[in-house]
């Protein structure tokens, strides 16, 4: 992890700043210590709902779900709500009742849903996380770390529905009589330039928690603060530190990275793009030591298939390779018939 000057002053005992595109850690303090996560738990609940369920599925709210304590969207026993609206209620209003309804609809019980949550946490690399419920109310066996939450948020932001929901400031869903108005609990939205997520959390044991994200000029950062005395000031300080103090060189998946001459093809060249995002971030003062190098063959022979490997892009720091990705053809290129080649 490269350090930049003037590290941020934070009140949070656990914090981390991560590049969303690569997962590179730019700053951390107490980020690997296990702590109660409060409602940031709902990031994982939403991941499972979006991956395992259909958003238009009707869910009948149980009495157990409707009477869940804490933050609520005021579900009523026997009410029918779509899974998609429950996810909105969980992510925007932080409704604990919505998360229990989600858990029961997908797994039957909170306990079985928690098993799914823990399995998914391991799959995304969150090895110091254990969930006992879908909402984050205090439980001695329910914990995570700032680092693990950043990993979960990075994974979740890859889902376009999740990404759109956590950037939404307000919405509404049906209620038995009229509508329910939902207001996002994340006050960074609309107040911090580029803010686009993710989730707040507060309990007496966890303190003020926030998983925040912001995007500027195509570069997205994830900041996590746990146990903060002022989560919004802490998150702003972390995000400012990342955007102002660091330089990022990235080759993004799918973005044009050049072209290769095609011999005997229906077109003379085929565009190439990185198969996966490759990037590296350094303090601004060291930006001159970063270099992006594209390696391509002089030509290839037709036919070419979309996705065919045709080169590499490498990110170098002080002359040493720190990241790379395969470059692939972005389209098919058919070979010319032999008579056309002869005529040509």
């Amino acid at each position: 992890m490269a350090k930049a000057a003037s590290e941020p002053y934070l009140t949070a005992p656990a914090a981390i700043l991560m590049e969303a595109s690569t997962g590179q850690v730019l700053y951390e303090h107490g980020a690997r210590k296990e702590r109660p996560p409060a409602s940031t738990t709902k990031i994982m609940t939403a991941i499972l709902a979006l991956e395992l369920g259909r958003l238009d599925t009707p869910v009948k709210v149980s009495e157990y779900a409707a009477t869940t304590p804490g933050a609520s969207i005021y579900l009523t026993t026997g009410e029918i709500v779509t899974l998609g609206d429950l996810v909105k209620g969980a992510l925007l209003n932080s409704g604990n009742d919505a998360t229990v309804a989600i858990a029961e609809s997908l797994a039957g019980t909170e306990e079985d849903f928690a098993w799914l949550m823990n399995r998914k946490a391991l799959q995304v690399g969150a090895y110091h996380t254990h969930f006992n419920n879908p909402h984050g109310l205090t439980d001695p066996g329910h914990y995570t770390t700032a680092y693990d939450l950043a990993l979960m948020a990075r994974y979740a932001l890859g889902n376009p529905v999740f990404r759109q929901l956590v950037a939404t400031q307000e919405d509404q869903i049906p209620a038995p009589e009229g509508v329910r108005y939902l207001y996002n609990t994340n006050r960074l939205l609309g107040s911090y330039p580029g803010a686009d997520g993710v989730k707040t959390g507060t309990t007496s044991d966890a303190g003020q928690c926030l998983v925040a994200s912001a995007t500027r000029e195509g570069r997205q950062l994830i900041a996590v603060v746990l146990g903060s005395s002022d989560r919004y000031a802490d998150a702003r300080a972390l995000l400012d530190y990342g955007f102002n103090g660091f330089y990022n060189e990235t080759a993004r998946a799918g973005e044009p990275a050049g072209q290769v001459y095609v011999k005997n093809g229906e077109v003379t060249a085929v565009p190439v793009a990185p198969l996966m995002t490759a990037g590296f971030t350094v303090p601004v003062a060291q930006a001159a030591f970063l270099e992006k190098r594209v390696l391509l063959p002089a030509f290839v022979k037709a036919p070419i298939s979309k996705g065919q490997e045709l080169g590499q892009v490498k990110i170098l720091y002080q002359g040493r390779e720190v990241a790379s990705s395969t470059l692939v053809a972005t389209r098919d290129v058919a070979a010319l018939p032999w008579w056309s080649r002869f005529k040509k």
Side-chain angles (χ1 to χ4, degrees):
M1 180 182 67
K3 288 190 175 182
S6 304
E7 291 190 348
Y9 170 77
L10 305 175
T11 67
I16 194 166
L17 180 67
M18 178 180 286
E19 285 279 354
S21 63
T22 63
Q24 184 180 347
V25 174
L26 306 184
Y27 173 90
E28 63 176 300
H29 173 73
R32 317 288 171 139
K33 184 178 179 180
E34 295 168 359
R35 301 180 61 88
S39 286
T40 61
T41 296
K42 290 163 185 159
I43 295 171
M44 179 56 74
T45 301
I47 289 172
L48 291 177
L50 296 174
E51 292 186 349
L52 301 181
R54 288 176 51 95
L55 297 183
D56 58 355
T57 300
V59 176
K60 187 175 182 179
V61 178
S62 70
E63 181 180 2
Y64 180 70
T67 56
T68 306
S72 179
I73 62 170
Y74 306 104
L75 296 173
T76 59
T77 304
E79 178 183 355
I80 304 296
V81 187
T82 67
L83 182 64
D85 285 343
L86 290 172
V87 175
K88 287 182 182 180
L91 287 177
L92 274 67
N93 262 47
S94 204
N96 293 339
D97 50 352
T99 66
V100 175
I102 291 169
E104 291 180 334
S105 70
L106 293 176
T109 66
E110 272 190 300
E111 292 76 17
D112 287 343
F113 188 75
W115 183 87
L116 293 174
M117 296 172 75
N118 292 321
R119 185 181 67 170
K120 190 67 181 181
L122 291 175
Q123 289 174 352
V124 301
Y127 300 128
H128 294 278
T129 293
H130 188 268
F131 295 120
N132 279 349
N133 61 60
H135 39 65
L137 289 176
T138 300
D139 185 301
H142 189 96
Y143 56 83
T144 187
T145 67
Y147 176 72
D148 282 6
L149 279 170
L151 291 179
M152 287 183 267
R154 179 177 179 241
Y155 177 86
L157 287 166
N159 184 297
V161 177
F162 181 93
R163 192 166 60 243
Q164 181 264 326
L165 286 177
V166 296
T168 301
Q169 288 184 258
E170 56 183 78
D171 204 343
Q172 60 186 53
I173 60 175
E177 297 179 7
V179 297
R180 288 185 176 90
Y181 294 96
L182 304 178
Y183 300 96
N184 201 313
T185 56
N186 181 4
R187 296 208 305 267
L188 282 189
L189 298 176
S191 68
Y192 183 83
D196 50 14
V198 177
K199 188 70 191 74
T200 61
T202 311
T203 64
S204 57
D205 286 334
Q208 294 183 31
C209 303
L210 177 63
V211 180
S213 66
T215 303
R216 296 182 186 174
E217 298 179 352
R219 180 183 173 211
Q220 187 173 36
L221 297 178
I222 297 168
V224 181
V225 293
L226 302 179
S228 173
S229 297
D230 188 341
R231 60 186 166 200
Y232 296 110
D234 283 353
R236 287 187 181 97
L238 277 173
L239 292 168
D240 285 345
Y241 176 67
F243 284 123
N244 300 330
F246 289 86
Y247 175 79
N248 173 258
E249 185 72 77
T250 302
R252 300 188 185 281
E255 290 189 357
Q259 58 182 14
V260 180
Y261 170 70
V262 180
K263 189 174 183 180
N264 298 328
E266 61 180 357
V267 295
T268 57
V270 59
V272 296
L275 179 62
M276 300 178 66
T277 295
F280 196 69
T281 304
V282 298
V284 169
Q286 299 177 29
F289 297 115
L290 269 185
E291 176 190 357
K292 180 162 62 177
R293 189 174 295 174
V294 175
L295 306 175
L296 296 171
F299 68 90
V300 290
K301 292 182 178 180
I304 304 297
S305 300
K306 182 178 180 179
Q308 183 175 327
E309 295 183 11
L310 294 179
Q312 271 199 327
V313 58
K314 296 184 177 184
I315 308 295
L316 306 178
Y317 175 59
Q318 295 182 331
R320 177 176 60 88
E321 182 181 323
V322 289
S324 65
S325 176
T326 299
L327 293 173
V328 298
T330 61
R331 57 160 290 180
D332 294 329
V333 179
L336 287 172
W338 67 268
W339 58 86
S340 296
R341 278 180 267 163
F342 180 77
K343 182 178 180 181
K344 186 176 180 182

